[in-house]
Amino acid sequence: MPLSNLDLVNQCDAFPYPESDPSAYLARINTYYQLRVSGHDYALGYMLPSVAEVFRGIPHWELDDDDRTLTLNAGTTAEERSKAVELTLLAMRETGHFKVLNQWRNELYAVYGKKKELLFNVERSASPLLGVVSYGIHLTAYTRSKETGEIKIWTPRRASTKQTYGGMLDNAVAGGIASGESPFESLVRECAEEASLPEELVRSQARAAGTVTYYYIRDERAGGETNLMQPECQYIYDLELPDDTIPRPGDGEVEAFYLWSIDEVKQAMENGEFKPNCSLVVLDFLVRHGFLTDESDGDFIEIVSRLHRRLEFPTL
Amino acid sequence: MPLSNLDLVNQCDAFPYPESDPSAYLARINTYYQLRVSGHDYALGYMLPSVAEVFRGIPHWELDDDDRTLTLNAGTTAEERSKAVELTLLAMRETGHFKVLNQWRNELYAVYGKKKELLFNVERSASPLLGVVSYGIHLTAYTRSKETGEIKIWTPRRASTKQTYGGMLDNAVAGGIASGESPFESLVRECAEEASLPEELVRSQARAAGTVTYYYIRDERAGGETNLMQPECQYIYDLELPDDTIPRPGDGEVEAFYLWSIDEVKQAMENGEFKPNCSLVVLDFLVRHGFLTDESDGDFIEIVSRLHRRLEFPTL
């Protein structure tokens, strides 16, 4: 069965909505543990009970089974909290508690409070354990025919050896935003690393085009524990490339780049060949450029809203 | 105090969100009456108790104070239901029950069920009484300098004599979608009526670019009763105009068209000169075209999500 566009959205934005399905929403919310920071009485993420349990009794962490909260209780500065988080996670990595920690990246992700202040940093591979919002950039690189105006999209296939989503299709450039890095600087860095795109071209021609936000629930393809909650915010960029600028894999993460027509891209999406969140970025591109409309898809209104889920956690 | 972009969003998307403010959300939901159609046990809109009360005892309407529902109970076809709704509203107009009915338009809006089937049509001026989703089209017409690439936006000022939002700034073309009309045909019609734009140009050059969805609560400027709930879905279009195509008011609803730089438009938004939902359409344009980014606005993530609220009612 070919996947509809709404199927593709449902794959990625998989957490129930309280307005339309309050009982499913509450069942989830009341099962999971809220991650908090002491002095900040609100959820920074939702954690599986089986994950929260592992933090019981560890210094600087307080597990409350009545309130169903896990509270980080370590100093009052981002630096103090980050240090405590790092020590805990390093120990858990040593003891082999969580499979996702085998993908340790030595990259720090930021977790923000309600005043947009940095609360703490967390090792990238551990952020889905805590269920906190992670941030990335996704770039769609495309060409436009001078004669016909036809748009084609540069579509990379991930190396089959990649730990996560190996062999699946991707956006031209995509990557996580490290703590302290701006989305645009992250974009420039990843464009060089992943697609060998000249910095000057990216700086002058890449155009910001909003965000795609959703609430992912990890499956086997992401590697490690499944059912982890992963709210994500992707900063979206478009880049129209001149005919003579060909993206080339830069770091071994990409097997090949294809220059595909809109129909070829749609076909691959229907076939489920895209990494789930990348198909959302393609859908957003198709919406903004008039290729996906109410005439072409009966779920149009729902799709456009779902590409821009309001995250219920503080964000940058 | 200049209005921030988030202030502009808050003006228009004014209904609380259940995830972030469950008590405010539930207080509203539990105060208002749900509009339903018999055999369809879900909300089509929320009605003020004072409005629902007026339907008590009227044939074909059933008010349940325990469930807080108002159910339309008239036949099983859209035609039968529409007729009953029309008779009720015509009578209410005669008896002068509702001020909004003084703006009777003789235009029908469609109300859909969960299977996207037409449940009934309702006179446009009455739709905010029922709290049902209404649909419109909004077009941003702009020019792009061949030399510098600078974009300027055609910005009309509404006639000061207009019943609603007189004298405020608007999008180049905007209008409600009549029942049975497609968004694109509605666009073509309104472009001729409101801005005297050639049909051929609109058909070949206007580009669909998604939707803007929000949950408005009417104030004095909308005319008639205040605090009515008005969930809306606007289909968004962009149209790059050649230098020699000048929009001209076609039907007396517009006083003048200005060709403004992005900075001039932003300034007018800060000053609160735009009709509330039109400023959302401008914000969406600025986001999609890279003029509003995370670097330029600390509320960027929140703004992008809020421009695309997921409506909790069935839609087309």
Side-chain angles (χ1 to χ4, degrees):
Chain A
M1 269 277 284
L3 295 168
S4 72
N5 292 325
L6 187 55
D7 289 336
L8 294 166
V9 171
N10 286 335
Q11 273 190 5
C12 216
D13 184 43
F15 201 74
Y17 280 76
E19 312 87 80
S20 50
D21 198 349
S23 54
Y25 176 80
L26 286 174
R28 295 282 192 128
I29 294 297
N30 294 334
T31 303
Y32 296 120
Y33 277 68
Q34 278 191 10
L35 174 72
R36 294 185 175 189
V37 157
S38 63
H40 300 259
D41 292 338
Y42 47 83
L44 300 171
Y46 292 121
M47 298 174 68
L48 285 182
S50 57
V51 173
E53 186 58 37
V54 179
F55 289 74
R56 191 185 299 278
I58 293 184
H60 300 307
W61 297 91
E62 201 176 304
L63 198 66
D64 185 325
D65 296 315
D66 295 328
D67 286 352
R68 302 190 81 79
T69 56
L70 174 68
T71 303
L72 171 61
N73 211 329
T76 55
T77 67
E79 203 183 340
E80 291 169 306
R81 294 188 202 104
S82 303
K83 192 71 203 162
V85 171
E86 188 191 11
L87 287 175
T88 302
L89 293 171
L90 280 170
M92 288 176 174
R93 181 193 180 195
E94 284 306 308
T95 54
H97 260 105
F98 295 114
K99 283 179 279 179
V100 291
L101 297 183
N102 296 338
Q103 300 175 26
W104 196 277
R105 307 277 289 249
N106 278 317
E107 287 175 42
L108 291 177
Y109 273 4
V111 179
Y112 300 96
K114 276 199 171 167
K115 293 175 182 158
K116 300 182 193 300
E117 76 278 30
L118 178 66
L119 288 180
F120 63 90
N121 292 319
V122 57
E123 152 62 24
R124 174 171 174 166
S125 61
S127 69
L129 289 175
L130 302 185
V132 294
V133 179
S134 60
Y135 304 85
I137 56 94
H138 282 244
L139 173 92
T140 303
Y142 63 99
T143 61
R144 191 193 304 264
S145 158
K146 280 194 189 64
E147 291 75 36
T148 63
E150 188 195 357
I151 283 180
K152 292 190 174 185
I153 297 179
W154 281 109
T155 304
R157 189 179 295 283
R158 297 162 72 87
S160 57
T161 52
K162 238 180 119 73
Q163 276 185 319
T164 58
Y165 307 99
M168 299 194 84
L169 298 168
D170 208 323
N171 302 127
V173 175
I177 300 175
S179 179
E181 194 178 38
S182 77
F184 193 76
E185 291 309 314
S186 171
L187 174 79
V188 171
R189 178 176 54 73
E190 296 279 355
C191 280
E193 289 175 15
E194 294 197 346
S196 317
L197 292 172
E199 176 171 340
E200 209 152 294
L201 180 80
V202 175
R203 287 199 183 275
S204 64
Q205 301 299 317
R207 195 173 75 180
T211 54
V212 164
T213 41
Y214 51 87
Y215 202 161
Y216 190 49
I217 297 177
R218 285 166 73 99
D219 61 23
E220 302 72 27
R221 294 172 297 180
E225 285 72 16
T226 57
N227 283 319
L228 300 176
M229 319 272 105
Q230 195 170 350
E232 293 202 304
C233 171
Q234 308 295 357
Y235 291 90
I236 300 302
Y237 295 87
D238 284 356
L239 176 57
E240 186 177 325
L241 285 183
D243 289 347
D244 58 355
T245 305
I246 315 286
R248 280 180 296 102
D251 58 4
E253 298 200 356
V254 165
E255 190 176 283
F257 273 96
Y258 313 116
L259 185 60
W260 276 352
S261 69
I262 299 293
D263 281 341
E264 287 171 309
V265 171
K266 280 185 182 168
Q267 187 62 58
M269 293 218 292
E270 273 186 29
N271 296 345
E273 292 187 63
F274 271 86
K275 179 169 175 266
N277 65 348
C278 296
S279 62
L280 263 54
V281 174
V282 174
L283 289 176
D284 179 65
F285 182 89
L286 298 180
V287 168
R288 290 184 291 104
H289 289 266
F291 296 111
L292 173 56
T293 66
D294 67 298
E295 280 97 0
S296 68
D297 196 316
D299 300 311
F300 184 63
I301 297 174
E302 171 81 355
I303 289 167
V304 177
S305 289
R306 296 279 297 282
L307 294 175
H308 303 96
R309 182 174 193 141
R310 182 163 180 255
L311 301 175
E312 60 196 278
F313 312 100
T315 51
L316 176 53
Chain B
M1 269 278 281
L3 295 167
S4 72
N5 292 325
L6 187 54
D7 290 335
L8 293 167
V9 170
N10 287 335
Q11 274 190 4
C12 217
D13 184 43
F15 201 74
Y17 280 76
E19 311 89 79
S20 50
D21 198 350
S23 53
Y25 177 80
L26 286 173
R28 295 283 192 127
I29 294 297
N30 295 333
T31 303
Y32 296 120
Y33 278 67
Q34 279 192 9
L35 175 72
R36 294 185 174 189
V37 158
S38 62
H40 300 260
D41 293 338
Y42 47 83
L44 300 170
Y46 292 121
M47 298 174 68
L48 285 182
S50 57
V51 172
E53 186 57 38
V54 178
F55 288 74
R56 191 185 298 278
I58 292 184
H60 301 305
W61 297 93
E62 202 176 303
L63 196 67
D64 185 324
D65 296 315
D66 295 328
D67 286 352
R68 302 191 81 79
T69 55
L70 174 67
T71 303
L72 171 62
N73 212 329
T76 54
T77 67
E79 201 182 343
E80 290 169 306
R81 293 187 202 105
S82 302
K83 191 72 202 163
V85 170
E86 187 190 12
L87 288 174
T88 302
L89 293 172
L90 280 171
M92 288 177 174
R93 180 192 179 195
E94 284 306 308
T95 55
H97 259 107
F98 295 114
K99 283 179 279 179
V100 292
L101 297 183
N102 297 338
Q103 300 175 27
W104 196 278
R105 308 277 289 249
N106 279 316
E107 287 174 43
L108 291 177
Y109 273 4
V111 179
Y112 299 97
K114 277 197 170 168
K115 292 175 183 160
K116 300 183 192 298
E117 74 279 32
L118 178 67
L119 288 179
F120 63 89
N121 291 319
V122 57
E123 151 64 24
R124 175 171 175 167
S125 60
S127 69
L129 290 175
L130 302 184
V132 293
V133 179
S134 59
Y135 304 85
I137 56 93
H138 281 244
L139 173 92
T140 303
Y142 63 100
T143 61
R144 191 192 304 262
S145 159
K146 280 195 190 63
E147 290 75 36
T148 63
E150 188 195 356
I151 283 180
K152 292 190 174 186
I153 297 179
W154 281 107
T155 305
R157 190 179 294 284
R158 297 161 72 88
S160 56
T161 52
K162 239 179 117 73
Q163 277 184 317
T164 58
Y165 306 98
M168 299 193 85
L169 298 168
D170 208 324
N171 303 126
V173 174
I177 300 176
S179 179
E181 195 178 38
S182 78
F184 194 75
E185 291 308 315
S186 171
L187 174 79
V188 171
R189 179 176 55 73
E190 295 280 354
C191 280
E193 288 174 15
E194 294 196 346
S196 316
L197 292 172
E199 177 172 338
E200 209 152 295
L201 180 80
V202 175
R203 287 198 183 276
S204 63
Q205 301 300 318
R207 195 173 75 180
T211 54
V212 166
T213 40
Y214 51 87
Y215 203 160
Y216 190 48
I217 298 177
R218 287 166 72 98
D219 61 21
E220 304 71 29
R221 294 172 298 180
E225 284 73 15
T226 58
N227 283 319
L228 301 175
M229 318 273 105
Q230 195 171 352
E232 293 202 304
C233 171
Q234 309 294 357
Y235 291 90
I236 301 301
Y237 295 87
D238 284 356
L239 175 58
E240 186 175 326
L241 286 182
D243 288 347
D244 57 356
T245 304
I246 315 285
R248 282 180 294 102
D251 57 4
E253 298 198 358
V254 165
E255 191 176 282
F257 274 97
Y258 312 117
L259 184 59
W260 276 352
S261 69
I262 299 294
D263 281 342
E264 287 170 309
V265 170
K266 279 186 182 166
Q267 188 62 59
M269 293 217 292
E270 273 188 29
N271 296 345
E273 292 186 63
F274 271 85
K275 178 169 176 267
N277 65 347
C278 296
S279 62
L280 263 55
V281 174
V282 174
L283 289 175
D284 179 65
F285 182 90
L286 298 179
V287 167
R288 288 184 292 105
H289 290 265
F291 296 111
L292 174 57
T293 66
D294 68 298
E295 281 97 0
S296 68
D297 196 316
D299 300 311
F300 184 63
I301 298 173
E302 171 81 356
I303 288 167
V304 177
S305 289
R306 297 278 298 282
L307 293 175
H308 304 96
R309 182 173 192 143
R310 183 162 181 256
L311 300 175
E312 60 195 277
F313 312 101
T315 51
L316 176 52

